Amino acid sequence: MCGIVGGVAERNISNILIEGLKRLEYRGYDSAGLALINQGQVLRERRVGKVANLEQAVLASQVSGSLGIAHTRWATHGKPTEENAHPHISGNVAVVHNGIIENYQELKDDLEALGYVFTSQTDTEVVAHLINDALKTTPSLLEATRQVVPQLKGAYALGIVHTDHPDELITVREGSPLVIGVGIGENFISSDQLALLPITNRFIYLEEGDIARLTRNSIEVFIDGQLIDRPVKELDATVSNASKGEYKHYMLKEIYEQPEAIKQTISQALNGNALREDFLASAIQDFANIQQVQIIACGTSYHAGMIAKYWFEQLIDLPCQVEIASEFRYRSPVIVNNTLYVCISQSGETADTLAALRDTQKRAAAKSLNITTMTICNVATSSMVRETNHSLLTLAGPEIGVASTKAFTTQLAALMLLVLKIGQIKQTISDTQIAEIVAELWHTPKVILDTLQNDKEILRLSELFVEKQHCLFLGRGTHFPIALEGALKLKEISYIHAEGYAAGELKHGPLALVDNDMPVVILAPQDDMLDKLKSNMEEVQARGGELFVFADENSGIKAKDRQHVVYVPSVNAILAPIVYSVPVQLLSYHVAVLRGTDVDQPRNLAKSVTVE
Ligand code: G6P
């Protein structure tokens, strides 16, 4: 999704802006641009496609300046063309924008009536013209921005510069993430702190409604016109965490980082084979009161939630519902007293999940209902973490590949910790059972390491997918969501149409699709459903389908004609979905590489979906 970088310094910042944009590439975009203020002029370069194209243009034109804004655009209003790329200029003002201005058409009509000429189809251009217009009544860029903001409806983050204000960068956060990177004699903004990590590890996280004015030596944050103190936080994430290292793609690196990421995530909660007393200690009273759980999430995080539903109900007897946030937020769901609302989100900024959370909180407050909210998230400073009562962090480190891998498996580990904690508080699970599951949880990183040994074999099998147009993934129980996740991974990065199904549903539709040309991926851990799953495999084989089975080494499933088997090391059935995520990730990865797609930044997709 769109990214913003901006800065005010004494040195030329064109390189910093370009490097920053490169670090935002993983979020997904289709064009990029920057504007620098230099000697009373706005110098702008914009290009369609990769940031590298923009970089070339900047190198060729040698544009430079110590004040500037830059942007990667993910088209919403108007095609990905140079004219629609940001920054947008009106008079001497240049603007970059993330999010959507919902009432832009009305504003555009008014501005056109005033004689403003639009050069793009974007919603953003209205902001540039409005600020330009407001500057007729005030010389202050900050004041002009303040006048414009109340006119804008929607969710947005803005970066604004003006030729007459060579030491001033104005920024606004209203529904889209924005951080200020605090430097020494220079200050920066970005929609994602990752962009600024090579320059600073000190950040101010703006809150909704904040307007900030940055100069080289000062940062002022205002809310409702009042100056406010926002704390500077120091981050310990290192730059190297966000580089590919020896791996060909971030996605592969992140797949291989899973054992360590899971270890990190569980270590924060465990003491030997027991839960630490201080783990989620502040939530104990709230957890004691809850009578059900409602999980809200999108994409891969939603699949993690689906698995947690099995765990909540089977292990600790607590009713659990899971829903896609984009549906939940619009269907006026009944908000029920004593419910724990859990947002699962690697970014903590996904627009639909955030909106569903806020709406739930508002409606619960209006009815004086007693609910508890919590976030499972990979970004400690995200909006969701800040806006929920409790949070549990997945300590996966930055995930750059658009297709989520280590964020997903650490979400599962975190969800299991949450289930055990709530069960312990409610006494619906014994300490012995907790100790058994925790011992298995500790063992999971090793099982994943062993599973990764199958990489070459999976690569070999992936060659059989390259020419396929369609694929089915089947699983039962907690492996039904893994089937959905496997299908999502394959379609996201290889562009092969794939569907995930509960294997028991095969006869109710998807079996009609099975023929010689249909690869069917089966997830076959050693669990109570194995025999039933074997019958489903027979059904596929009888129709000529080709089976690709990820099977427990003790499952008794053997390779035969049109049945390929990759053995997964034996793992406790409850935790098996964490492990079986890995072979489906590797399969999708290798198929995508063989098909020559842009694995880390698949077409049309974004890492952090901050607009609806
Ligand atoms: C995008 C990403 C997915 C992610 C989903 C939800 O679609 O490409 O990888 O699962 O958003 O994002 P979240 O940050 O809320 O987990």
Side-chain angles (χ1 to χ4, degrees), residues 3-71:
I4 289 177
V5 189
V8 50
E10 227 173 291
R11 52 180 166 158
N12 170 27
I13 58 167
S14 59
N15 269 346
I16 294 175
L17 297 183
I18 294 280
E19 285 309 312
L21 291 185
K22 282 186 181 165
R23 294 171 72 85
L24 295 182
E25 285 190 300
Y26 77 99
R27 292 164 65 100
Y29 69 104
D30 40 47
S31 51
L34 60 67
L36 292 152
I37 303 296
N38 196 334
Q39 298 185 348
Q41 279 188 305
V42 188
L43 307 176
R44 175 172 66 174
E45 289 291 351
R46 297 178 295 175
R47 288 295 182 274
V48 172
K50 297 279 175 193
V51 174
N53 300 347
L54 178 69
E55 187 177 23
Q56 287 292 319
V58 169
L59 278 175
S61 64
Q62 293 284 308
V63 287
S64 67
S66 56
L67 169 66
I69 46 178
H71 191 259

Side-chain angles (χ1 to χ4, degrees), residues 298-301 344-348 350 402-404 411 492 606-607 609:
C298 300
T300 290
S301 298
I344 308 175
S345 173
Q346 50 87 19
S347 63
T350 301
V402 163
S404 188
Q411 281 169 353
E492 274 180 315
K607 179 78 186 160
V609 182

Side-chain angles (χ1 to χ4, degrees), residues 281-451:
S282 64
I284 291 177
Q285 196 49 53
D286 288 341
F287 288 169
N289 293 335
I290 58 165
Q291 282 164 11
Q292 59 164 0
V293 178
Q294 171 69 62
I295 296 175
I296 311 163
C298 300
T300 290
S301 298
Y302 168 69
H303 295 152
M306 285 180 79
I307 293 167
K309 176 182 165 72
Y310 289 83
W311 290 342
F312 273 115
E313 301 208 342
Q314 284 170 5
L315 293 175
I316 64 163
D317 207 21
L318 190 63
C320 175
Q321 306 296 324
V322 193
E323 193 161 343
I324 294 166
S326 55
E327 286 300 313
F328 187 86
R329 66 180 284 197
Y330 286 118
R331 71 171 178 85
S332 303
V334 179
I335 307 298
V336 182
N337 213 19
N338 297 326
T339 301
L340 171 66
Y341 288 86
V342 181
C343 297
I344 308 175
S345 173
Q346 50 87 19
S347 63
E349 303 292 351
T350 301
D352 283 321
T353 313
L354 199 51
L357 166 70
R358 288 174 178 162
D359 186 55
T360 301
Q361 285 166 326
K362 213 186 285 168
R363 294 174 59 216
K367 291 187 173 174
S368 303
L369 295 173
N370 181 26
I371 64 161
T372 301
T373 57
M374 96 167 269
T375 300
I376 294 194
C377 191
N378 202 34
V379 182
T381 50
S382 63
S383 303
M384 275 179 230
V385 169
R386 286 184 284 130
E387 293 183 29
T388 42
N389 303 126
H390 309 288
S391 59
L392 174 48
L393 291 180
T394 51
L395 303 178
E399 187 181 72
I400 306 293
V402 163
S404 188
T405 52
K406 63 176 179 171
F408 176 65
T409 46
T410 52
Q411 281 169 353
L412 290 177
L415 282 160
M416 177 53 86
L417 296 170
L418 178 66
V419 169
L420 297 179
K421 182 74 181 184
I422 296 176
Q424 185 180 53
I425 293 166
K426 297 181 96 56
Q427 298 184 342
T428 48
I429 188 167
S430 69
D431 285 346
T432 321
Q433 274 177 296
I434 292 178
E436 277 168 20
I437 295 175
V438 169
E440 293 295 339
L441 210 45
W442 279 124
H443 189 49
T444 315
K446 166 78 170 76
V447 186
I448 292 182
L449 265 180
D450 293 344
T451 306

Side-chain angles (χ1 to χ4, degrees), residues 32-301:
L34 60 67
L36 292 152
I37 303 296
N38 196 334
Q39 298 185 348
Q41 279 188 305
V42 188
L43 307 176
R44 175 172 66 174
E45 289 291 351
R46 297 178 295 175
R47 288 295 182 274
V48 172
K50 297 279 175 193
V51 174
N53 300 347
L54 178 69
E55 187 177 23
Q56 287 292 319
V58 169
L59 278 175
S61 64
Q62 293 284 308
V63 287
S64 67
S66 56
L67 169 66
I69 46 178
H71 191 259
T72 46
R73 174 170 185 259
W74 192 81
T76 57
H77 295 63
K79 290 193 171 143
T81 59
E82 208 162 294
E83 294 70 39
N84 287 334
H86 301 209
H88 290 285
I89 295 179
S90 176
N92 295 326
V93 187
V95 173
V96 287
H97 160 224
N98 280 1
I100 290 179
I101 309 296
E102 286 167 3
N103 59 334
Y104 88 99
Q105 192 58 55
E106 259 166 81
L107 296 169
K108 187 171 178 177
D109 293 345
D110 293 348
L111 286 160
E112 278 177 336
L114 289 173
Y116 286 95
V117 177
F118 282 75
T119 56
S120 77
Q121 286 104 45
T122 64
D123 50 342
T124 308
E125 200 179 341
V126 296
V127 183
H129 290 313
L130 283 171
I131 294 176
N132 189 15
D133 201 59
L135 282 166
K136 287 182 186 155
T137 57
T138 169
S140 157
L141 186 58
L142 178 68
E143 184 47 38
T145 307
R146 269 199 202 131
Q147 287 175 20
V148 167
V149 163
Q151 302 174 50
L152 307 175
K153 288 200 187 120
Y156 51 87
L158 302 169
I160 305 154
V161 290
H162 189 285
T163 54
D164 296 346
H165 302 261
D167 183 30
E168 189 171 71
L169 170 59
I170 305 291
T171 190
V172 181
R173 175 186 174 146
E174 184 63 65
S176 270
L178 208 100
V179 296
I180 295 176
V182 183
I184 298 168
E186 54 186 19
N187 290 306
F188 298 88
I189 59 168
S190 178
S191 44
D192 184 332
Q193 63 207 19
L194 258 186
L196 303 178
L197 277 180
I199 315 167
T200 182
N201 66 343
R202 299 174 69 228
F203 294 98
I204 296 174
Y205 298 92
L206 293 183
E207 303 278 346
E208 303 307 348
D210 283 357
I211 300 181
R213 176 177 178 270
L214 283 69
T215 68
R216 283 193 291 267
N217 293 308
S218 69
I219 297 168
E220 295 162 297
V221 183
F222 302 88
I223 183 126
D224 300 327
Q226 301 298 312
L227 198 57
I228 182 166
D229 201 18
R230 294 260 178 256
V232 178
K233 294 193 176 155
E234 223 159 274
L235 209 80
D236 58 7
T238 58
V239 180
S240 65
N241 265 351
S243 80
K244 263 191 296 214
E246 81 238 37
Y247 293 92
K248 193 169 170 199
H249 294 101
Y250 282 109
M251 183 178 175
L252 189 62
K253 173 174 180 257
E254 288 157 4
I255 290 173
Y256 272 82
E257 281 172 349
Q258 289 178 108
E260 189 52 37
I262 290 172
K263 212 186 289 171
Q264 291 291 332
T265 299
I266 63 176
S267 295
Q268 63 182 325
L270 302 176
N271 191 358
N273 284 348
L275 292 168
R276 276 166 53 162
E277 273 186 24
D278 59 356
F279 170 57
L280 286 172
S282 64
I284 291 177
Q285 196 49 53
D286 288 341
F287 288 169
N289 293 335
I290 58 165
Q291 282 164 11
Q292 59 164 0
V293 178
Q294 171 69 62
I295 296 175
I296 311 163
C298 300
T300 290
S301 298

Side-chain angles (χ1 to χ4, degrees), residues 419-486:
V419 169
L420 297 179
K421 182 74 181 184
I422 296 176
Q424 185 180 53
I425 293 166
K426 297 181 96 56
Q427 298 184 342
T428 48
I429 188 167
S430 69
D431 285 346
T432 321
Q433 274 177 296
I434 292 178
E436 277 168 20
I437 295 175
V438 169
E440 293 295 339
L441 210 45
W442 279 124
H443 189 49
T444 315
K446 166 78 170 76
V447 186
I448 292 182
L449 265 180
D450 293 344
T451 306
L452 287 166
Q453 300 290 321
N454 290 322
D455 197 2
K456 285 219 168 70
E457 206 178 334
I458 296 173
L459 167 62
R460 192 176 51 75
L461 291 184
S462 65
E463 285 163 12
L464 302 171
F465 285 71
V466 176
E467 302 296 327
K468 302 291 180 192
Q469 302 299 318
H470 308 277
C471 178
L472 271 180
F473 284 73
L474 300 178
R476 300 189 77 129
T478 49
H479 290 75
F480 161 42
I482 297 297
L484 292 175
E485 176 58 10

